[in-house]
Amino acid sequence: MECAHSLVHRLSALLLLGGVLIFLRQLRRGPVRYGRYACSKYTIPARWAWFLQELPAFLVPVLLACTTDGSTHGRRLLLCTFTLHYFHRAIVYPLLIRGRPIPAFIVVSSELFCFFNGILQSHTLLHCSSEFAVYLPSLVLFRFFLCSVAGLCLFALGMILNIHSDHILRNLRRSGETVYKIPRGGLFELVSGANFLAEILEWFGFAVVVWNLPGFSFFFFTVCSIGPRAIGHHRFYLEKFPDYPRNRKALIPFIL
């Protein structure tokens, strides 16, 4: 399969535009309505919802990698970071959660997004990397460290913090409890949206290590889609709990 240079640019631009639109939508109407903000009568159990909506972003890269000849081991390694995240989200995470049912329209839209983004990221890495990479000939060693080592470290740190933050949230309530509690420990001591900050850090690391437009577009979309949600969570906690730690920020430690 050959890389369609203009198509990848257009799809990346579409992802950037989608990020702007979802950010503006949340500024006007508040966080996307799932989880504590859900108000739909058509819902899917949380475990099935997470499995169905995240699975395309795992399966599409795996299938493309298995059917692609000629791509380097380096490109496949970079793609492994993407598939590792979605393996956890689609296979492991649904087995652990006890969350509320998710509106069906959220599941369908997330599934379509994961399918779209899975194709864009894996196709670019497997077929177009050499055309979309940004080269710094005079700073080869610096670029290698920045893009490869630092990017992978940021991705790994973000994923570890994300898993740990999810663990804290899962264990806030005992089985059968419905009351909200203040999350404590880990990154939650700094920000209300610890799980969101961790995922943003993951995809920032991914964008750095792949060093291409689709990777940056996905990072930008992630910030626009879950950043406002973290701010909404922070306001929720402040309103609900008079004793909520006032030194915590919403998303960025000590700043926002």
Side-chain angles (χ1 to χ4, degrees):
M1 185 185 296
E2 296 182 357
C3 171
H5 190 283
S6 61
L7 179 60
V8 172
H9 271 301
R10 291 172 185 173
L11 293 179
S12 299
L14 186 62
L15 199 55
L16 291 170
L17 177 61
V20 173
L21 292 178
I22 198 170
F23 179 78
L24 294 177
R25 185 266 179 207
Q26 292 189 88
L27 284 183
R28 293 179 56 189
R29 303 182 185 178
V32 177
R33 296 190 177 276
Y34 67 91
R36 69 189 63 179
Y37 310 106
C39 60
S40 174
K41 62 181 180 180
Y42 301 107
T43 61
I44 297 175
R47 290 184 174 181
W48 280 106
W50 278 98
F51 172 74
L52 292 172
Q53 69 186 23
E54 306 291 313
L55 189 61
F58 170 67
L59 286 183
V60 168
V62 170
L63 291 174
L64 276 179
C66 290
T67 56
T68 296
D69 296 323
S71 61
T72 65
H73 293 301
R75 297 185 192 181
R76 291 176 182 271
L77 177 62
L78 295 182
L79 187 59
C80 282
T81 59
F82 186 85
T83 55
L84 178 63
H85 171 90
Y86 281 104
F87 173 79
H88 177 262
R89 277 296 183 209
I91 308 300
V92 179
Y93 184 70
L95 298 176
L96 301 174
I97 60 172
R98 302 188 301 266
R100 299 184 178 193
I102 299 177
F105 78 92
I106 292 292
V107 176
V108 173
S109 59
S110 298
E111 189 172 25
L112 292 174
F113 172 79
C114 284
F115 181 78
F116 163 82
N117 191 47
I119 290 178
L120 176 60
Q121 302 301 330
S122 53
H123 171 65
T124 304
L125 282 174
L126 293 172
H127 309 132
C128 314
S129 292
S130 60
E131 297 181 48
F132 287 87
V134 178
Y135 293 102
L136 305 174
S138 61
L139 298 172
V140 175
L141 292 179
F142 173 75
R143 179 184 179 276
F144 172 79
F145 174 80
L146 176 67
C147 297
S148 300
V149 180
L152 286 174
C153 288
L154 285 172
F155 178 86
L157 176 62
M159 188 166 184
I160 290 170
L161 291 173
N162 196 4
I163 292 173
H164 183 247
S165 298
D166 287 339
H167 172 76
I168 292 174
L169 291 175
R170 280 197 308 273
N171 289 279
L172 277 179
R173 296 190 292 252
R174 297 175 183 174
S175 180
E177 285 186 329
T178 57
V179 295
Y180 284 100
K181 298 181 181 180
I182 299 175
R184 300 186 184 277
L187 203 53
F188 281 107
E189 295 300 322
L190 297 176
V191 294
S192 300
N195 51 327
F196 301 121
L197 173 59
E199 185 158 352
I200 288 172
L201 183 61
E202 267 191 87
W203 297 125
F204 176 69
F206 176 76
V208 169
V209 76
V210 299
W211 206 256
N212 61 34
L213 180 59
F216 171 78
S217 301
F218 180 36
F219 162 69
F220 178 81
F221 183 91
T222 300
V223 173
C224 291
S225 60
I226 65 178
R229 193 167 182 82
I231 295 173
H233 278 25
H234 186 66
R235 291 173 180 166
F236 172 86
Y237 286 130
L238 289 174
E239 293 171 0
K240 189 170 184 63
F241 301 105
D243 60 336
Y244 192 74
R246 298 293 161 171
N247 61 326
R248 287 190 195 180
K249 296 300 182 180
L251 183 63
I252 304 175
F254 313 114
I255 299 176
L256 175 62

